Amino acid sequence: MGIGFDELEQEVPGLRFSALAVDVDSGETVFRHRPDEELNTASVGKVFLLHRLLTEVDEGTRSLEERVTRRPVEWMDNSGLWYLLQADTLSLYDVAALIGAVSDNAATNTLGRVIGLPVVQQHTRALGYERSGLDDIVRWPLPPGAPRTLSHATAEELVRFVTRTATAADLSASSADTLQRWLGAGMDLSMVAAAFGLDPLAHYYFDRDVWLWNKTGTISTVRADTGLVMSPDRRLAYAVLANWPRGVDARDRVLAVMRAAGDELRAHLAR
């Protein structure tokens, strides 16, 4: 039985998937479906902000111990934890950890101001990601003229990003490890990662011979999940992105297909 990307696209008008999974070390393709389709990825693009921060650390122009204070305009609730915390000042390390663990919107806005959104976007393009990027900080309601998406990407470019992070191709070994550690604290295992049955609060090291780090994106018309899943013998980089029109009830069926993609990854790891 296949994963079901084509079948569900045919059933749900306007639904689009972009998906790809590859073996990091052998280059073998595990699955693929329109990997070059550019889609809205909600919060997934926050990984490019974290990558730029660590690039500046590697260049010696930034320290993760630097402390920053959020401004009232940067406060955002919903996704995250900082809006519930009393502390207004945190280290850059802690701000980034909140983004990796809970996709923190307030932390994203503060770090976006410190680094500069145009700097992040230029950095992303310089790395060769021409159809993926962080489009804006987190705003609600969206003001006139603001980008309509927080981020966008293709599955192919996200898999390339995951692969290059796993192999420390663009960061120092220590910074690549730090980025994976932040993303390894991610608590959203509702999509592709649901197939692995891991503890959502503690799954960075091997559990059931599976080690996972990932970043997800969620709004009412988007589900997106990209990351690395490992066994003691294999490393698989994956991205599964789904968009559908407003007013269409597709969420549960999309999540079922995303889990099926995770089942395929799990089966491949067990070979």
Side-chain angles (χ1 to χ4, degrees):
M1 176 179 265
I3 293 172
F5 297 123
D6 282 312
E7 293 83 354
L8 192 56
E9 283 181 338
Q10 293 171 10
E11 290 177 20
V12 179
L15 173 65
R16 295 181 296 159
F17 282 104
S18 179
L20 180 66
V22 301
D23 187 301
V24 168
D25 300 295
S26 73
E28 176 188 358
T29 298
V30 180
F31 59 73
R32 65 186 293 122
H33 177 85
R34 306 182 201 274
D36 295 322
E37 182 90 359
E38 185 178 318
L39 296 179
N40 182 345
T41 51
S43 289
V44 167
K46 295 172 183 178
V47 297
F48 298 114
L49 175 60
L50 298 178
H51 194 282
R52 178 60 198 180
L53 167 63
L54 289 167
T55 297
E56 294 184 8
V57 170
D58 284 345
E59 293 171 347
T61 59
R62 187 82 61 183
S63 169
L64 292 178
E65 300 307 311
E66 179 184 338
R67 297 182 68 78
V68 293
T69 301
R70 65 179 174 191
R71 297 174 178 174
V73 71
E74 292 160 357
W75 185 94
M76 289 290 295
D77 60 3
N78 204 350
S79 179
L81 281 176
W82 201 2
Y83 74 96
L84 290 172
L85 303 183
Q86 292 182 325
D88 287 320
T89 300
L90 297 173
S91 69
L92 285 178
Y93 184 99
D94 290 346
V95 169
L98 283 171
I99 296 171
V102 292
S103 199
D104 197 286
N105 285 336
T108 298
N109 289 350
T110 298
L111 186 58
R113 182 225 336 142
V114 170
I115 301 296
L117 185 61
V119 172
V120 176
Q121 293 169 338
Q122 182 180 20
H123 173 74
T124 304
R125 290 191 297 270
L127 290 172
Y129 304 110
E130 298 179 354
R131 304 184 65 199
S132 305
L134 184 64
D135 302 325
D136 202 2
I137 59 172
V138 184
R139 309 173 196 252
W140 190 256
L142 291 176
R148 300 295 97 181
T149 58
L150 179 60
S151 75
H152 65 283
T154 68
E156 186 279 327
E157 290 194 345
L158 288 176
V159 165
R160 192 186 338 149
F161 178 90
V162 169
T163 298
R164 294 183 70 81
T165 298
T167 57
D170 301 308
L171 294 169
S172 68
S174 61
S175 286
D177 185 66
T178 297
L179 179 53
Q180 292 174 85
R181 189 66 186 90
W182 288 336
L183 297 176
M187 297 179 186
D188 183 5
L189 306 185
S190 64
M191 302 181 213
V192 176
F196 307 117
L198 303 176
D199 182 340
L201 302 181
H203 56 267
Y204 185 62
Y205 297 104
F206 283 115
D207 177 20
R208 297 176 169 179
D209 284 336
V210 172
W211 185 339
L212 169 79
W213 58 262
N214 72 323
K215 182 73 189 77
T216 62
T218 300
I219 57 174
S220 62
T221 57
V222 173
R223 288 296 183 275
D225 187 350
T226 187
L228 188 81
V229 60
M230 299 168 275
S231 71
D233 303 311
R234 290 183 175 87
R235 297 185 294 176
L236 306 179
Y238 72 86
V240 180
L241 318 175
N243 288 185
W244 61 91
R246 291 185 182 277
V248 173
D249 184 12
R251 181 191 302 179
D252 290 344
R253 285 176 288 175
V254 165
L255 288 175
V257 168
M258 295 182 83
R259 171 151 187 159
D263 289 334
E264 183 69 21
L265 293 173
R266 187 173 184 177
H268 196 85
L269 287 175
R271 291 176 187 171

